[in-house]
Amino acid sequence: MKKSVSTALAALMVAVALPAAAQFQKPEDAIEYRQGALFVMGQHFGRIGAMANGKVPFDAKAAADNAEIVATLAKLPWAAFGEGTDKGHGTKAKPEIWKEQDKFKAAATKMQDETGKLLVAAKTGDLAQLKTAFGSTAQTCKACHDDFRAK
């Protein structure tokens, strides 16, 4: 059941991703969208991390399913960092996102690349490859959070 809900949510988010920027009538809508995408991505990434770190038994199919969702969701939040979305609604986005847009876009691209590698590793069914790819992806997430997310 959880997989069905997660898969349905991921499919829905993909369906709205392309026209997402046009859907943001107010800055708060964009903030909620990106926070939602990042939250769901974090939930699925955490499931992979629990396996990679030995906190739960490794399940190759679950790892691949979660990595698929993470890789898909990694494409979504960036359109929601537009003008006027730097304040309000509990955002933790630092002003550096808008001051250093090239650096922020590069970090987003790097994260998308790493989540793609995570997916490839997860699909091998090899825990060692998953651990390596998870570590690299986690470092990419951390680097972006360090630079662009308030504590």
Side-chain angles (χ1 to χ4, degrees):
M1 178 67 176
K2 286 182 184 178
K3 182 183 176 234
S4 316
V5 172
S6 296
T7 303
L9 179 59
L12 175 64
M13 293 182 90
V14 169
V16 299
L18 296 177
Q23 294 178 16
F24 304 136
Q25 308 244 337
K26 302 178 286 187
E28 295 82 21
D29 296 341
I31 294 167
E32 286 181 28
Y33 176 86
R34 72 181 184 226
Q35 287 175 339
L38 291 165
F39 175 80
V40 174
M41 183 171 52
Q43 294 297 303
H44 289 276
F45 189 66
R47 293 173 186 168
I48 298 166
M51 286 184 256
N53 293 314
K55 294 180 180 177
V56 299
F58 176 62
D59 177 333
K61 181 172 180 355
D65 289 346
N66 281 289
E68 184 82 48
I69 293 167
V70 169
T72 299
L73 292 175
K75 300 170 187 167
L76 300 183
W78 317 115
F81 283 94
E83 188 175 327
T85 66
D86 55 334
K87 296 176 177 61
H89 202 68
T91 184
K92 293 183 179 177
K94 288 183 177 179
E96 285 79 5
I97 290 172
W98 293 271
K99 293 177 186 172
E100 301 173 26
Q101 285 196 345
D102 289 341
K103 184 178 176 183
F104 181 66
K105 288 177 184 174
T109 299
K110 174 94 171 133
M111 195 266 293
Q112 290 174 46
D113 292 344
E114 291 301 321
T115 60
K117 293 175 188 176
L118 177 65
L119 176 57
V120 170
K123 285 183 174 183
T124 69
D126 180 358
L127 180 57
Q129 287 187 42
L130 181 73
K131 285 181 179 183
T132 299
F134 177 82
S136 296
T137 306
Q139 283 298 92
T140 302
C141 293
K142 181 184 180 317
C144 191
H145 284 198
D146 289 348
D147 291 341
F148 299 110
R149 184 177 188 230
K151 307 289 183 233

